[in-house]
Amino acid sequence: MTAQLPLLLEPADLAAHLDDDNLLIVDLSKDQVYDQAHVPGAVHLDFKRLLAGTQPAPGLLPSDDALSALFSELGLTPDTQVVAYDDEGGGWAGRLLWTLDVIGHKKYSYLNGGIHGWLAAELSTSSDRTRPEPSDYRVGEHDPATSVDLDYVLKHHTDPDVVIWDARSEEEFAGVRAFAQKAGHIPGATHYEWTDAMDKHNNLRLRDLEEIRRELAERGIQSNKEVITHCQTHHRSSFTWLVGKILGFERIRGYPGSWAEWGNHPDTPTEKSE
């Protein structure tokens, strides 16, 4: 049996469960990083398979058939405890966990610090590629509490109960840099860059959670609001979605269309910082 592991999982705690049944560890690091060193038993996943990849909004989810095929390859079952990590501080790991949340698979954890945290703890690694035992996984009804679409954001971004969390860089938020036809941000959105939650001096582990909570609250991002987080393609903002989940935000949702969709749509309003 696999124990129900916490959402934020420390390396030493994962090390104690490596032999558990129904445990699926997914490494979303770059290929060369995985081949050099990964958590023993971890399978590698190309993050591009978590994205539809179609313009103008490449961050939208793949089809249910594509996701069913992917998770069947990985050996996912309804009883599987998934642990995800990467080599960049949690963006792609967060994208996998958000995807699982969307499709109703709630047994998942994030390895704090990813491979950097694991190596810093001086735990054993493997360089052998792990081949998962395939399953027959079928994606069912999506959980509507996890995701929003363009129409929803258009209708609700000015609601006093809703806060839009923009996880892009300060330059993108201000409109100085743009990766879409329009520059700037969703009117009323608040900015907290995704990397601000990472401790760059401690192997990209999460910084003190209460410090993060205080910083977010100063920007109006707090648990008594409905929080919608986005970036350019819902890669960086998958990590901020994860941070919100770890902080106990019960109404945090991802906008997978993100700025790629909003900034290229003819009927969306935008703002630029002074």
Side-chain angles (χ1 to χ4, degrees):
M1 283 291 291
T2 299
Q4 181 71 39
L5 300 177
L7 175 55
L8 183 61
L9 185 62
E10 297 301 327
D13 294 330
L14 175 58
H17 287 276
L18 290 182
D19 295 327
D20 284 8
D21 296 330
N22 294 326
L23 179 67
L24 174 62
I25 306 172
V26 184
D27 182 316
L28 293 105
S29 307
K30 292 180 282 293
D31 262 324
Q32 60 269 32
V33 174
Y34 176 82
D35 286 334
Q36 183 177 357
H38 55 262
V39 175
V43 301
H44 187 255
L45 174 59
D46 180 356
F47 62 79
K48 290 189 290 293
R49 297 190 66 186
L50 298 170
L51 309 172
T54 52
Q55 298 299 331
L60 294 176
L61 278 169
S63 69
D64 283 355
D65 285 346
L67 289 175
S68 294
L70 170 61
F71 290 124
S72 293
E73 285 178 34
L74 292 176
L76 187 68
T77 75
D79 296 324
T80 302
Q81 173 73 38
V82 178
V83 177
Y85 73 90
D86 56 39
D87 60 348
E88 61 159 23
W92 291 121
R95 176 72 192 212
L96 171 60
L97 300 185
W98 173 80
T99 303
L100 291 172
D101 206 61
V102 169
I103 66 172
H105 188 94
K106 308 296 184 178
K107 297 179 179 179
Y108 55 76
S109 304
Y110 170 63
L111 177 62
N112 198 4
I115 190 60
H116 303 291
W118 185 267
L119 292 171
E122 300 182 345
L123 296 164
S124 63
T125 63
S126 172
S127 57
D128 298 326
R129 286 203 161 238
T130 301
R131 305 296 179 189
E133 183 177 339
S135 62
D136 184 14
Y137 192 87
R138 289 288 177 265
V139 170
E141 186 175 350
H142 290 200
D143 181 351
T146 297
S147 183
V148 297
D149 60 13
L150 175 74
D151 287 341
Y152 188 92
V153 182
L154 271 171
K155 290 175 183 175
H156 296 284
H157 72 277
T158 59
D159 290 359
D161 187 48
V162 172
V163 58
I164 306 295
W165 178 353
D166 192 320
R168 297 175 299 159
S169 69
E170 185 68 56
E171 292 80 9
E172 289 169 272
F173 181 82
V176 177
R177 299 184 71 196
F179 302 100
Q181 292 178 8
K182 301 175 187 177
H185 55 265
I186 297 172
T190 189
H191 180 256
Y192 187 89
E193 189 168 345
W194 73 304
T195 57
D196 288 347
M198 301 175 197
D199 191 337
K200 301 170 185 67
H201 304 290
N202 190 19
N203 306 293
L204 300 185
R205 293 161 56 85
L206 278 173
R207 293 172 46 235
D208 180 80
L209 294 180
E210 292 312 309
E211 281 292 303
I212 298 171
R213 189 190 306 277
R214 179 185 60 78
E215 292 168 357
L216 292 173
E218 289 173 352
R219 293 160 172 80
I221 304 171
Q222 46 201 15
S223 59
N224 64 343
K225 300 277 190 179
E226 178 183 346
V227 180
I228 297 171
T229 187
H230 80 90
C231 57
Q232 180 73 19
T233 60
H234 196 40
H235 157 220
R236 293 170 285 180
S237 55
S238 287
F239 178 69
T240 52
W241 168 85
L242 177 61
V243 170
K245 294 287 283 189
I246 291 168
L247 291 175
F249 289 16
E250 294 183 357
R251 294 190 295 154
I252 185 161
R253 310 169 78 179
Y255 170 33
S258 279
W259 193 257
E261 181 175 54
W262 190 275
N264 286 308
H265 195 282
D267 301 324
T268 49
T270 63
E271 283 183 345
K272 292 184 180 180
S273 302
E274 293 296 327

